[in-house]
Amino acid sequence: MNAHTTRVIAQGTFDVLHPGHVHYLREAAELGDELHVIVARRGNVTHKAPPVLPDRQRRDMVDALDVVDRARLGHREDIFVPIEEIAPDYIVLGHDQHHDEDAIADELDRRGIDCELRRASAREPRFEGELLSTGDILDRIVEERG
C-alpha cells in the first residue's frame, strides 16, 4: 500500500532570518511530511522594499534550516509554477503576509490545484528587545551602526 506524502508549501522573502520566520516554518512543517519553501526572487517583491540579500543567499539560508526539506527560488514570471510542480496538500501563509487568500484560492481552483490554504499564527516577542521583523532588524542596524 502506498502511503501518501503530505506536502506543505511556505513562502516568503526571508531577507534576514529571524525567530518569526522559524516559528512560521515550524508551524507549517507540522502539517505534513515535507516542507517546501518558495523564496521570492528580488525582482518579484513589489509590495515592500526589495530584499537586501541576494536571491541565492536567502534560498541557501532557508534550505539550511532543519525543518525545511527543500527551498527553491520562485518562478520569474508565474508564482504558481512551483506550486504546480510541488502539488502541495497545504499552502501556509505567514500571519502578516500581504496575500489575498481569496485570489490565491481562485487561481488554485482555476489551475486544478487541490490544496488547503492556511494562515500561520503570530509569534509574540519572548523577551525585551527581541525583533521579529526584517524591517525592524534593519532599522535597528542603521540606528546602532549607522
Side-chain angles (χ1 to χ4, degrees):
M1 183 166 161
N2 247 350
H4 173 75
T5 299
T6 303
R7 291 186 188 98
V8 180
I9 289 178
Q11 55 74 46
T13 307
F14 304 102
D15 195 15
V16 177
L17 286 178
H18 55 71
H21 289 134
V22 173
H23 170 79
Y24 166 43
L25 297 175
R26 283 183 178 153
E27 195 169 284
E30 289 173 3
L31 290 173
D33 304 307
E34 293 178 3
L35 176 60
H36 297 257
V37 180
I38 301 170
V39 177
R41 290 179 182 273
R42 187 177 206 277
N44 292 349
V45 177
T46 58
H47 62 285
K48 61 181 179 180
V52 173
L53 300 176
D55 293 351
R56 185 172 168 188
Q57 179 177 340
R58 292 180 293 109
R59 192 259 342 259
D60 290 351
M61 291 302 297
V62 170
D63 202 41
L65 298 172
D66 287 342
V67 71
V68 175
D69 291 291
R70 178 166 182 220
R72 66 169 78 188
L73 291 174
H75 192 272
R76 290 183 194 281
E77 289 89 33
D78 184 346
I79 63 169
F80 287 89
V81 167
I83 296 169
E84 289 174 324
E85 292 170 352
I86 296 165
D89 297 281
Y90 298 96
I91 296 175
V92 181
L93 304 174
H95 82 95
D96 62 350
Q97 287 178 334
H98 72 287
H99 299 292
D100 178 340
E101 291 177 49
D102 292 334
I104 293 172
D106 289 347
E107 185 62 17
L108 293 170
D109 286 344
R110 192 182 76 71
R111 292 176 184 240
I113 302 169
D114 183 22
C115 69
E116 185 177 330
L117 275 178
R118 297 260 180 111
R119 185 72 71 170
S121 67
R123 179 189 178 286
E124 297 303 317
R126 295 190 179 144
F127 53 86
E128 173 123 5
E130 183 180 34
L131 300 177
L132 303 176
S133 153
T134 297
D136 290 347
I137 292 169
L138 295 173
D139 289 346
R140 173 86 53 89
I141 290 169
V142 169
E143 179 183 300
E144 293 193 7
R145 305 267 172 99

